[in-house]
């Protein structure tokens, strides 16, 4: 199955290179029409092309792939957006997180485990303090433990300053007390390098 996914990804990337190397102007809305195709490989290719275009309009169109029934198409969304989010300018991050949140809600990410996992990884890709609250929401609210664990692990690369760390500490402390050992362990590992706020010192000692 993984080989099939890799083949589709490679075909999508090849399609992106062909389209972008042509002399024609490529419009995101025209490429986005391919997302309605019955051919899953064509939908993967469209997402790859939109990712290569990389504009705000293209990124918004890519998120429609979260609604796709095929796992390969949803994975293509992560592959296209993650590198764009990682190198995004600070001034763009808040608006982009809101756009991602809208797309995630439309795809019912809090109830769909496969979508939730991709969304948690996309949010973590920002690597900024601004992504922390979104990840905490996933870690606390999602029904699936693997998704919650992914969100908690994603926090490690996003907590950048002491103010954000203090805000996250209380939520993570509650997750350490969760009955699921995998989730509790992930929360404990994420907490470990953070300074303990004075108001939580006694609770931490009792763990």
């Amino acid at each position: 199955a993984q080989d099939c996914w890799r083949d589709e990804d490679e075909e999508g990337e090849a399609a992106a290179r062909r389209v972008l190397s042509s002399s024609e102007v490529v419009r995101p809305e025209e490429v986005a029409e391919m997302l309605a195709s019955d051919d899953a490989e064509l939908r993967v290719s469209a997402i790859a092309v939109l990712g290569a275009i990389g504009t705000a309009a293209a990124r918004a169109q890519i998120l429609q792939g979260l609604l796709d029934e095929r796992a390969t198409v949803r994975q293509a969304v992560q592959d296209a957006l993650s590198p764009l989010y990682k190198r995004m300018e600070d001034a763009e991050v808040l608006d982009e997180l809101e756009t991602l949140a809208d797309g995630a809600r439309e795809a019912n990410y809090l109830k769909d485990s496969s979508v939730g996992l991709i969304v948690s990884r996309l949010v973590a890709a920002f690597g900024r303090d601004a992504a922390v609250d979104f990840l905490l929401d996933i870690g606390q609210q999602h029904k699936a433990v693997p998704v919650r664990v992914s969100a908690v692990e994603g926090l490690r690369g996003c907590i950048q300053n002491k103010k954000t760390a203090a805000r996250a500490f209380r939520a993570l402390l509650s997750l350490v007390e969760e009955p699921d050992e995998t989730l509790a362990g992930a929360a404990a590992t994420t907490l470990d390098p953070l300074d303990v706020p004075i108001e939580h010192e006694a609770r931490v000692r009792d763990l």
Side-chain angles (χ1 to χ4, degrees), residues 72-88:
T72 51
V73 178
R74 296 194 298 271
Q75 181 60 43
V77 173
Q78 179 182 324
D79 295 341
L81 288 177
S82 288
L84 298 177
Y85 289 167
K86 287 177 181 178
R87 60 176 181 263
M88 187 162 285

Side-chain angles (χ1 to χ4, degrees), residues 10-28:
E10 290 173 354
E11 289 175 9
E13 292 172 2
R17 287 193 294 270
R18 287 196 300 272
V19 171
L20 294 174
S21 64
S22 71
S23 59
E24 298 180 10
V25 175
V26 181
R27 296 183 178 181

Side-chain angles (χ1 to χ4, degrees), residues 18-207:
R18 287 196 300 272
V19 171
L20 294 174
S21 64
S22 71
S23 59
E24 298 180 10
V25 175
V26 181
R27 296 183 178 181
E29 58 270 23
E30 294 175 348
V31 179
E33 293 177 2
M34 296 164 61
L35 294 175
S37 170
D38 291 333
D39 186 340
E41 292 184 9
L42 188 58
R43 299 198 298 275
V44 168
S45 297
I47 289 171
V49 172
L50 290 167
I53 294 171
T55 62
R59 297 192 301 267
Q61 293 288 353
I62 290 170
L63 288 172
Q64 291 301 305
L66 292 176
L67 299 167
D68 204 284
E69 62 183 13
R70 288 289 297 272
T72 51
V73 178
R74 296 194 298 271
Q75 181 60 43
V77 173
Q78 179 182 324
D79 295 341
L81 288 177
S82 288
L84 298 177
Y85 289 167
K86 287 177 181 178
R87 60 176 181 263
M88 187 162 285
E89 297 292 332
D90 290 344
E92 299 177 279
V93 169
L94 288 177
D95 285 343
E96 194 68 23
L97 279 167
E98 186 57 40
T99 299
L100 173 56
D102 289 342
R105 284 190 291 267
E106 186 178 358
N108 205 18
Y109 78 105
L110 285 176
K111 293 184 179 179
D112 187 311
S113 298
S114 61
V115 174
L117 195 59
I118 288 172
V119 170
S120 70
R121 291 169 178 167
L122 285 173
V123 178
F126 283 95
R128 319 286 177 88
D129 288 294
V132 167
D133 287 340
F134 198 162
L135 288 171
L136 285 175
D137 285 345
I138 298 172
Q140 293 174 308
Q141 297 178 25
H142 207 281
K143 68 172 186 175
V145 169
V147 178
R148 299 176 73 188
V149 169
S150 175
V152 169
E153 291 175 342
L155 286 165
R156 299 169 195 169
C158 292
I159 298 174
Q160 303 291 320
N161 62 53
K162 291 184 177 181
K163 185 176 180 180
T164 303
R167 190 170 74 249
F169 198 95
R170 181 176 181 179
L172 287 168
L173 197 55
S174 296
L175 292 175
V176 169
E177 297 169 338
E178 286 278 335
D180 186 277
E181 292 183 0
T182 304
L183 178 58
T189 301
T190 302
L191 271 178
D192 188 55
L194 304 182
D195 293 332
V196 180
I198 295 174
E199 64 269 25
H200 295 305
E201 287 181 350
R203 188 176 174 188
V204 170
R205 285 196 298 268
D206 291 339
L207 289 177

